[in-house]
Structures are given as C-alpha cells and as structure tokens.
Amino acid sequence: MWFGVGAILGWPFAGALVIPFLLEEVTVSFFTGNMRNVVEEVLNGAIRCLLILALEIAVDSLFFGKLVVVPWNIVAYNVFGGEGRGPNIFGTEPWTFYVRNLLLNFNVWFVLAVSIAPLLVLQAPFRSRTATSSATLLRSLAFVSPFYVWLAIFTAQPHKEERFMYPAYPFLALNAALAFHLILSYVGSSEPGQLMARIPAKLKLVAVVSFVLLSINAGLLRILGIVTAYDAPLHVYGALETQGIGKEGDSVCLGKEWYRFPSSFFLPKDMRAKFVRSEFRGLLPGEFPDSENIQALLAGASAIPTGMNDLNQEDPSKYVDISQCSFLVDSSFPGSPASELEPDYIHDEGNWEKISCENFLDASRTKTLGRIAWIPELPLIPTHYRRQWGQYCLLRRRGNDTNSAVE
C-alpha cells in the first residue's frame, strides 16, 4: 500500500518500484497455492489507495477550481504528451548520464549496488554450504530488483535529471549493503582449502577498514566539494533581511541566473522576484496573485498565469525592463564572456553596487578533479589543479538607497 501512497501523493512513476514485489508474491503464491491471500491483500491495498486518491482529488479540485487528477496529469503529459510536448523538449542526455552521475555521488557503493544480483546468483554454486533455497533466492532477487528496474526505465528515457533517481536511493543503499555483506562473508571465510582462509585475519581487517574509510572519505570530499562550489545562491539573498538595505515594493531581478533562484521564501515578504531578458528562450515561471483571505487564496491557486503553455515557448510578458529592478542577482565568470543580453552587471560599478557576493565555481576553467571533489586551497596544490572561481552577487542599483554596501 505504501508504494501506492507514494505514487499518489508523491510521484506516480514511483509505483514502478513495487512491480518486483508484486511479481514475487504472485509467483510464490502460485506455486504454494496461496493465490487467494495475495489477491485479497492486493485488493485491500488497492481500495485504501483509491480512498487516498479520492481525498487527494477532492483537495486538488478545491484549489484548482475544477476536477483534477494530478497523478494522471503527470503521466499523461510525460508519457502521452504527443508531438512537441513532453519532457524531451526540456533537453536530452546520453544513456550514460545516470551511470556517470551515480558513480560520482556514490562511488564504489554504486558498483556494489549493481553487482548484487550476479553475486546472489553466483553464491549458490560457489558457496555450497550457504546455498539458499529457490524461494529464498527469488525473494532476495525481488528485494534487489527495484533499483535495476528504476535504473533501466529512466536510462531508456531521453530526458534525464539527477532528481529522477531520488526514489531509488534507498534501494541503491540496500543493494550495496547486501553486496558488501556477501563480499565480507567470503573475505571472512575460514573454511579450509579456500584462498581467503590463507590470508591473516588482521590483514583482511586492514583491507576492509581501508576500503570503507576510503569510500567514506570520497563521499565526504564529493559532498564538501558540491556544497562549497555551488552554495552561493543560498546565501546572497540573506543580505536583503538587513535593515536599510531595501524597502517595501522593491523588485529583485534575475537574468541568466533565473534557474538558480531557490525560492521566493528567500525574499523578504514585501519584495518580489522579477525576470529580465537573457539568452534563455524557454518559458519562465509565472506569478501567483497575492491573497489576504481564503477566498482570494483559492482564486489565486486556480488562476493560470498569463502566457503559460506546455510547449516551453517563451512568453515575453514574463520580463520587466532592467530599469524597474531595485536589486539584481547575477554571476560573473572569467571563463564565460559577456553578451548583449547578458552583460557583466557585477563589474558595471557605475550602475550597480555589490551588496553580497559569494564565490561560485567556474566550471569552464576548473579541471575535472576540482569539479568532482573538494580540493583544499593550499599553496602546495599545483595551480592547474586548483579550483577556479567566479562571483555570484546580489547587486543594488546605485541611487536606490544611501546605505553602504554589505560585503
């Protein structure tokens, strides 16, 4: 049932993760003569999921002002969108995208996760004393299959995003843990005649501990590298909360940095995010109207902002003139030249002053190792291996306020 709840209230495609478990239950029940119990359990779960779906439809329809089945809308657009619609209009990636991404983020644990099925199948003939029954092997394969199913489904899709792997992360961790357990069982074997039995226990312990520590350190370096390289958008907006920096009604504009805007929750209540034109030619987010009571809230939630479409076509009405911007969030990278639509606002000191600036990794000038993991800023690190930086800044139009800038 819980997979169904996740598919209904979360992401409908997450329901694919339950397929191996259903197949395993049906197969085992068929051979044991317990099909009736399986049918009853499936019907019980389906009825509960339908009740939850009905509640979701009621709530969504209240806010949208019409009958809406959100899970179906998501599936209909992404699977049955038709020509010129669907996820592919937002970009495509090669089939290796998720393999490279998961190797970067999970290092050897991803390798272990994809190796668990062969290890389970091979352990029976090679480890006769611990060989499992067919039913146990089938159940084990059912538990490790969801990750393979998910990876296969989304690898086959042309449009790929890192976040699409999130629902499968628990299964990746499970698969990696099981594979590691099987390997440890083999390494720790003391059965006479086996190769591992001839290796001193202390040497095996050192090897295992070293493996674990290296993998953990690789993960920590990856996390630290990502956080220190790209966390600037989470910090620069904080200066807007400083008294005297801005005033009610000010607009905070974004040009080429529109897609890194974290959320309007990062802005003071009396400020609004706006967009100025850049090289981007797709559809930008729309605005919901302000509401002061429940009636206005419902009306605003059901109103479709002007210019919205499902073809990712540019809507010129989303832009404001740069002269209407009290503040501007922009980036400057030595490796990326400015253009007419994306000038270097940060160094236009005649019109803009820096309120808050943070370092942001210049990926075009940083070598592969520096993009993959954290590298300390130490003199002993060769220059060509160091991470190269640009600036990510909150700018204020000169003359907008007489207070001094906060660096």
Side-chain angles (χ1 to χ4, degrees):
M1 184 191 81
W2 294 112
F3 285 96
V5 173
I8 293 169
L9 300 181
W11 200 31
F13 300 108
L17 292 169
V18 78
I19 293 175
F21 297 108
L22 288 176
L23 292 177
E24 184 263 342
E25 287 290 340
V26 170
T27 302
V28 172
S29 299
F30 177 79
F31 287 105
T32 58
N34 292 325
M35 283 296 294
R36 180 175 179 178
N37 291 338
V38 172
V39 172
E40 290 178 352
E41 290 177 2
V42 171
L43 286 176
N44 181 280
I47 291 172
R48 295 186 183 191
C49 288
L50 287 174
L51 291 174
I52 294 172
L53 177 61
L55 179 61
E56 185 199 42
I57 292 174
V59 174
D60 289 339
S61 299
L62 173 66
F63 279 90
F64 284 108
K66 60 181 180 181
L67 181 64
V68 176
V69 185
V70 172
W72 166 247
N73 286 353
I74 295 173
V75 173
Y77 181 78
N78 287 280
V79 179
F80 309 108
E83 186 67 25
R85 291 178 170 82
N88 293 351
I89 65 176
F90 300 100
T92 60
E93 297 289 344
W95 71 269
T96 57
F97 177 85
Y98 289 124
V99 174
R100 290 183 284 115
N101 179 269
L102 293 172
L103 277 173
L104 282 174
N105 292 330
F106 289 91
N107 54 75
V108 294
W109 302 106
F110 170 65
V111 177
L112 289 173
V114 296
S115 67
I116 181 59
L119 288 175
L120 284 173
V121 173
L122 290 173
Q123 77 164 338
F126 286 99
R127 298 293 304 277
S128 57
R129 294 189 180 182
T130 59
T132 55
S133 66
S134 298
T136 303
L137 178 60
L138 179 62
R139 174 141 294 184
S140 299
L141 290 174
F143 273 91
V144 303
S145 293
F147 178 68
Y148 291 102
V149 171
W150 193 264
L151 183 61
I153 290 174
F154 284 91
T155 296
Q157 308 306 310
H159 178 66
K160 299 176 177 67
E161 297 182 35
E162 179 179 354
R163 62 193 177 101
F164 292 168
M165 283 291 110
Y166 292 176
Y169 281 176
F171 291 101
L172 187 155
L174 173 64
N175 286 16
L178 291 173
F180 191 50
H181 170 73
L182 291 180
I183 293 173
L184 286 181
S185 298
Y186 175 71
V187 171
S189 174
S190 58
E191 295 181 16
Q194 288 198 356
L195 174 63
M196 286 298 166
R198 303 174 184 176
I199 301 176
K202 290 184 178 180
L203 182 59
K204 291 191 285 188
L205 178 62
V206 170
V208 170
V209 171
S210 299
F211 171 83
V212 172
L213 290 178
L214 284 173
S215 64
I216 291 175
N217 285 331
L220 291 175
L221 288 174
R222 173 67 175 169
I223 293 171
L224 186 59
I226 292 294
V227 171
T228 56
Y230 304 112
D231 67 339
L234 300 178
H235 297 292
V236 296
Y237 295 94
L240 293 171
E241 302 289 348
T242 304
Q243 187 174 4
I245 289 295
K247 58 183 182 297
E248 183 176 353
D250 280 346
S251 295
V252 181
C253 293
L254 302 110
K256 65 177 182 287
E257 291 299 323
W258 69 269
Y259 65 98
R260 291 193 180 110
F261 178 55
S263 166
S264 291
F265 291 110
F266 280 70
L267 301 181
K269 186 177 181 180
D270 52 2
M271 293 186 184
R272 293 292 179 268
K274 301 292 182 181
F275 300 110
V276 295
R277 194 156 194 177
S278 65
E279 300 289 352
F280 178 69
R281 287 295 170 269
L283 182 65
L284 290 167
E287 291 187 63
F288 287 102
D290 292 330
S291 58
E292 298 180 355
N293 52 57
I294 187 63
Q295 290 81 9
L297 174 65
L298 293 175
S302 62
I304 300 177
T306 58
M308 303 304 290
N309 61 80
D310 60 359
L311 301 173
N312 196 29
Q313 293 177 344
E314 182 182 26
D315 173 27
S317 68
K318 297 289 192 297
Y319 302 115
V320 299
D321 189 85
I322 190 70
S323 62
Q324 300 179 37
C325 302
S326 306
F327 295 89
L328 178 70
V329 174
D330 196 34
S331 60
S332 177
F333 301 101
S336 301
S339 66
E340 182 180 354
L341 290 176
E342 296 180 356
D344 190 354
Y345 293 109
I346 290 178
H347 293 97
D348 181 11
E349 298 181 356
N351 294 308
W352 301 94
E353 62 175 325
K354 298 177 182 178
I355 298 299
S356 176
C357 285
E358 298 284 342
N359 284 336
F360 198 98
L361 188 73
D362 188 348
S364 65
R365 296 190 305 131
T366 301
K367 299 296 183 181
T368 301
L369 184 60
R371 298 196 304 270
I372 290 177
W374 178 74
I375 296 179
E377 304 289 336
L378 297 175
L380 57 89
I381 304 295
T383 303
H384 62 281
Y385 284 120
R386 296 180 189 176
R387 297 195 291 177
Q388 306 301 314
W389 301 97
Q391 283 188 303
Y392 196 95
C393 296
L394 171 68
L395 309 174
R396 181 172 59 190
R397 179 178 296 281
R398 289 198 178 276
N400 188 60
D401 197 282
T402 57
N403 290 289
S404 59
V406 178
E407 293 292 346

